[in-house]
Amino acid sequence: MKISKKVLALMLACLLVFGALVGCADNGGASSAAGTPPAGSVAAGGDVDDSLVNTELSGEITQWVWGDYEIRGAVDFNKYYPNIKVNYVSVPSDEYEQKILTALATGTDLPDVVNIESAARGQFNNMDVWERLDAAPYNLDTSKVLPIGIPLMSNEKGEIVCVQVDNCVAGYAYDRELAIKYFGTDDPAEMEKIFSDLDSFVEKSKAVGEAGEDYMFASVDDAYSAVSGLYQKDPVVVDGKLNTDKSVLPTYEFIEKLVANKAVGPYVEWTPAWYTSFASNNIIFYRAPAWFISFMMKPNDPDSVGKWGMMTPPGGGFNAGGTAYAIPKGAKEENKELAWAYIQWLTLSQEGAESFYNAHATSTLYAPAYDTDLYKGEPDPFFKEQNVTEKLNEIAADPRTTASIMTAYDFVMKNANAQALRDLEAGMSAQQAYAKFKTEVLAAATDLSE
Amino acid sequence: MRRQKTAPYLFALPYFLIFLAFSVFPILFSGFISLNDWKGYNEPTFIGLQNYIEVFGDPRFYKALGNTLLLMVMIIPFQLVLGFLLALFLNSKYMKLKKTFRLLNFLPYLTTPIALGVIFALLFDPAFGTVNQVLEWFGINAINWTKEVWPARALVSMVTVWRYTGYTAVLFMAGITNINTDIYEASEIDGASSWQRTFRITLPLLKPVTTFVVLSTMIGCFQIFEEPFMIFNVAGKLVGGPNNSVLTGIWLFYDTAFSNQFRNGYAAAIAVCLFAVIAVISFVANKLMSGKEDG
């Protein structure tokens, strides 16, 4: 009896160790897919042009995904590549970059396809851990990508290391009722004439502020998001020096004037209160790429019909957000060709563009698709029957529309900017806020100089 | 006989294996990478004490350390007093539904950080939060909880106290339960009031528990991260809070390693320095408190 007790205790002890180790292995690897795991793989089916079907490539690849966005976007992939199975592993978006870094640091298995979200793109693109896609064996044809996409996919050497999936060119969504109230019209063409430059925003904001009921933008953050892309035409870092005098400073000056006119709302961007601002009927403008309409405006203002309009920002559009796919250098060699087939199909083919557009009402950056009827769009009741797809693509085709060049210092600047915006909101001058911004950036990025 | 000698080691083995793998190895590895320039994805380059020299010249490190000490001062007294009062309340013989209240008391400790961030960002939103609305009912001006330095510190302190007071109360309750009831009975016979029993019997006899609570809360304060991080991640994604007012040591470490420039080597040096500071302060505090106890 004594022996059996000891054996039992020993077994329990072993079980404890085993349990702990198994638990740790699960936590360490992204394959644990905490939360709700998505479907395992996409099934083939449906009629397709046989000449486009590739049965030679076969195998299994893995992509870490945030949810079902990626899966739904590529739902037709297996119709064209029936022998490539894509295993989607769910990784929470707020842990995604950290898990990639952990996998890189520890040398554990990386997925074959990695998502790089726009906020992390500047740093991730410059990490020298991704396959170069515009060189052999991938040979990405840049002429097939909308020009605005190239800076979003490149590292500081100009090498393409990822492919952005979605076209995130932003227009200005505006509240039609408030537009009539303050500007006398809700017609997009008329609005574009009234707001032909940013000075006109400042001028018109006086009446909005004086009324004391409504705001031009929901917050200083929204004002920044709406304007920074218009000013940011040059890289923010050149030869190790900050180059923000012509981008960040004028953006702050614009915000300073709006704050002085009391035309900026108190909804801090991405806070729970901010999500309610869409239905509050007191905010006139939001900068709005396609994803913003699908994931922010419509879900948070579900009862509105005909409330919104879409116009071109003064000076053309700009990129706002987006997700890119990359192939890690450390991925399994035999899977890289399959991963590239998957990425290429989704982002650089008409079929991928159709699949993605049908799932998300968002265009990819595949240029030839814009010469077809795919993106002709249709009247949207949410926008008073305005064809928003057509409008956004018109903005994307505007030669003035640009995308900011991403740098490894984007996170540092984002952090310093968040504080500067709070200071501007509290009444600090643009010059002071900008000086503080630079000090913060230089303190955090010690290898930069003024 | 031989089995009897080896059995204790076998029983202790699981703990030590886990301790070696998940405590000793990471500590040693942190020490190693703190001597390297390493971003996690590149090859480490040995740079000697360069990271430490940079830490000692980094104003953000001192700011984080100062914030942590400030938060400690703003948290420990409240957590200690409230925890003690709660423990008295939950141990009182006049108390009904003791088990229910004990459970409720512990619930904040079980709140997940994400829920905590969302709930408190909502409650304390300067423009739309319930707390400011209530303050305005009483004629008090709205407070910029998430946008100004001292309100931000007060908010983090309140949330931390709210979250951990229940845990502190449990420790005090355990201590109170261990006090011999004969002493209370004797004091009652001698005519001691409940105040006298609390201050002359309970408090002095809880000294070892109090020492432990103070030390563990101090160490906990040095590790504050989740509360400010989650609140300010929801409220405007402001790293370190307004003007870095709630940038704590661990937040600085996290920001340096994972969201700023992935400087793992430098972040490890920050962690080692924090470890040294915590160790010294804990040692001194322990000495002071033990000394008083001995005296």
Side-chain angles (χ1 to χ4, degrees), chain A residues 396-413:
Chain A
D398 189 320
R400 298 170 302 169
T401 297
T402 54
S404 311
I405 294 168
M406 293 165 161
T407 76
Y409 302 96
D410 287 358
F411 258 132
V412 175
M413 297 211 190

Side-chain angles (χ1 to χ4, degrees), chain A residues 173-210:
Chain A
Y174 60 89
D175 185 312
R176 286 177 181 270
E177 202 173 304
L178 295 177
I180 291 172
K181 181 177 172 184
Y182 291 105
F183 318 128
T185 181
D186 71 340
D187 178 64
E190 289 294 315
M191 287 287 284
E192 285 163 14
K193 278 185 197 162
I194 294 171
F195 294 102
S196 57
D197 55 32
L198 288 173
D199 290 339
S200 51
F201 273 84
V202 175
E203 192 54 40
K204 293 289 179 187
S205 73
K206 288 176 188 165
V208 176
E210 279 166 13

Side-chain angles (χ1 to χ4, degrees), chain B residues 144-160:
Chain B
N144 250 339
W145 296 106
T146 54
K147 297 178 182 176
E148 287 178 11
V149 171
W150 283 101
R153 285 184 180 136
L155 172 59
V156 170
S157 306
M158 281 191 285
V159 173
T160 312

Side-chain angles (χ1 to χ4, degrees), chain B residues 277-295:
Chain B
V277 172
I278 295 173
V280 169
I281 292 183
S282 303
F283 178 77
V284 172
N286 192 27
K287 276 280 169 201
L288 286 174
M289 295 181 79
S290 307
K292 273 184 185 172
E293 200 179 343
D294 294 341

Side-chain angles (χ1 to χ4, degrees), chain B residues 8-31:
Chain B
Y9 296 103
L10 279 174
F11 287 129
L13 190 63
Y15 169 77
F16 279 104
L17 281 179
I18 293 167
F19 180 69
L20 280 173
F22 300 110
S23 292
V24 176
F25 173 72
I27 289 169
L28 295 177
F29 188 65
S30 295

